[in-house]
């Protein structure tokens, strides 16, 4: 009989189905709060991390990226694609999965779906940033772009920042209707708007999350009043922006990792030395965030590897003692580690 | 009832157990020949590929690497670690897995174990290179370093280059004994040697495949006679080499991808502008390989992403119609691609 793989050969795997089970088990708002805390904790130890801009492979229709990082004990990476044209073909714009490994041995410790997890960590990161940057007492958020990410953003801002009203707008009214229907009964006042201007009426926070791969102008300068916090999610690759340059020039700009954001974010429109503030320095108190009630703060978010790392670390901890993972026979583990060939030979017996 | 995932949500997965089944199903020598041909075919269309040095995360005890590439239709990457100290703890020095994805949609098409597959593709690449570079009629190979890779190298050189004798040496006689035992009955004359010098007696090909992460000198200059082909596998990361500098100075050096080899290969010992020949140019006939019977040819192999890509592409094709894969629920696939949140909500019903 062929020998059975040992425990070392197995890697815990969280499927999409298991991730959905885990989210319901914990509760989505609790999970978003936990994720925001996990990400904030890792931003506080920013210097520890191995940081590199993501490794992108661009084609005419999209991009495939690998986003690795390490804190010296754990190594993590995410595979993620971005294909805006996919929705027309019944596919997701973004799919993702990720891995955590032990730096000491190089052995994987977790493989997980990350399409859902990316939506959650993106929303948690946005709301965590807003907790530091948005005007005090913000209660109303404009949500521009009502695609796959929109509901997660709305719930994260409710759970983490205390938002009680969301004002939805999308160029496609069907997307707004979908988002409004999904948010019914979630404890938010949901206002469907027929223009970007209308969505911003009375909103202290503006979230833009659209998916076209082009230089778009979702917000123009005259639309944005003083004192708001802008959470710009959609401008996240070269050639893809959402905000008019004039808004950027009026805003205090906060970013995750400047070498990546200058290539991918809204600030790709600006000079390479345009001043920006790193969010982690606001979180640690090394620098100030919002300076007054009149200032426009802008979180130019492109998504950074440390956020995925935090999310995977959280999932690895959260699945313990739950049924929300299976074991994948992904690693060859011969009894004698130098005897890979012998393991292969014996498997045929 | 919660909706079931659609076909699009699933990614074929080849486990270690399935990979072993596939190897036995095809036959290891046939598979090595097929792999060599697949790799050679991709080296012939070298210019098509997106090439980048691997993305390495180094620690005191090892390295974790991501090796991405794309031919414009398929995208592939490999995760691989290298931890020489692992064997002392009963773990593999190298474990790996890899992925192929569709460039057009960004959706993964195959997830596969690659610990075994890396051993196979490394051996197939070595023998494919030797098919172009080794002296004509070579029948005997010295195999120095008798660890996990050794048997695969020996069988690849038998199947692809017509080697009929292998001369084994390792500083640890137990490794040589293991290798000799595994090779019994495989149609090779196996000679166990007690020194590096003895292993090289009469050998036209010298393969070095040792694992220490340090500047080692497995071969010194006076050990190497004229006319041999050296297949140097073990020097594959910064600070890790196997050959004395003087041998390099006497050899015509062939490499996979110069920007990576200059950092990781034997030639890290040389000036950054030391002349090297790219193997793909020999294969396409753009340049000459071995010039005469006296020349020492050296394939300074570090392993390149295209070889893994070729191997994954081969596996994706080879598993069709076999039982050697399962379906992983790795991708979120809502009916309406913009309705990720709705899919999550419905899963709890």
């Amino acid at each position: 009989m062929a020998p059975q793989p040992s425990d070392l050969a197995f890697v815990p795997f969280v499927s999409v189905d298991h991730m959905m089970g885990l989210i319901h088990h914990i509760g989505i708002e609790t999970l978003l709060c936990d994720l925001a805390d996990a990400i904030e904790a890792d931003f506080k130890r920013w210097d520890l991390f191995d940081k590199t801009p993501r490794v992108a492979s661009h084609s005419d229709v999209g991009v495939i990226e690998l986003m690795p990082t390490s804190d010296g004990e754990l190594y993590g990476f995410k595979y993620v694609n971005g294909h805006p044209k996919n929705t027309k073909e019944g596919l997701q714009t973004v799919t993702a999965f990720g891995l955590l490994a032990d730096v000491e041995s190089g052995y994987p410790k977790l493989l997980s779906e990350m399409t859902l997890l990316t939506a959650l960590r993106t929303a948690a990161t946005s709301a965590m940033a807003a907790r530091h940057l948005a005007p005090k007492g913000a209660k109303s958020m404009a949500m521009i772009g009502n695609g796959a990410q929109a509901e997660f953003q709305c719930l994260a801002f409710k759970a983490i920042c205390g938002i009680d009203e969301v004002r939805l707008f999308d160029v496609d009214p069907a997307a707004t209707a979908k988002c409004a229907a999904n948010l019914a009964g979630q404890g938010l006042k949901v206002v469907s708007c027929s223009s970007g201007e209308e969505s911003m009426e009375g909103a202290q926070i503006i979230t833009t999350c659209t998916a076209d791969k082009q230089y778009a102008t979702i917000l123009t300068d005259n639309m944005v009043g003083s004192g708001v916090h802008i959470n710009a999610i959609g401008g996240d690759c070269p050639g893809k922006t959402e905000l008019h340059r004039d808004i950027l020039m009026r805003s205090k700009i906060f970013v995750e990792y400047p070498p990546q954001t200058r290539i991918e974010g809204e600030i790709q429109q600006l000079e390479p030395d345009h001043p920006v503030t790193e969010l982690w320095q606001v979180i640690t108190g090394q620098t100030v965030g919002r300076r007054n009630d009149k200032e426009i703060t802008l979180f130019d978010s492109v998504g950074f590897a440390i956020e995925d790392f935090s999310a995977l670390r959280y999932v690895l901890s959260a699945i313990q003692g739950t049924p929300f993972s299976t074991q994948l026979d992904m690693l060859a583990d011969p009894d004698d580690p130098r005897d890979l060939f012998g393991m292969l030979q014996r498997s045929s017996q």
Side-chain angles (χ1 to χ4, degrees), chain A residues 40 61 205 314:
Chain A
E40 192 175 79
V61 292
I205 298 174
Y314 173 76

Side-chain angles (χ1 to χ4, degrees), chain A residues 206-208 230-235 242-243 266 298-302:
Chain A
I206 301 168
T207 291
T208 58
I230 303 173
N231 172 41
I233 306 297
E242 294 183 315
L243 308 186
E266 298 298 331
L298 166 63
F299 179 40
D300 184 4
S301 178
V302 296

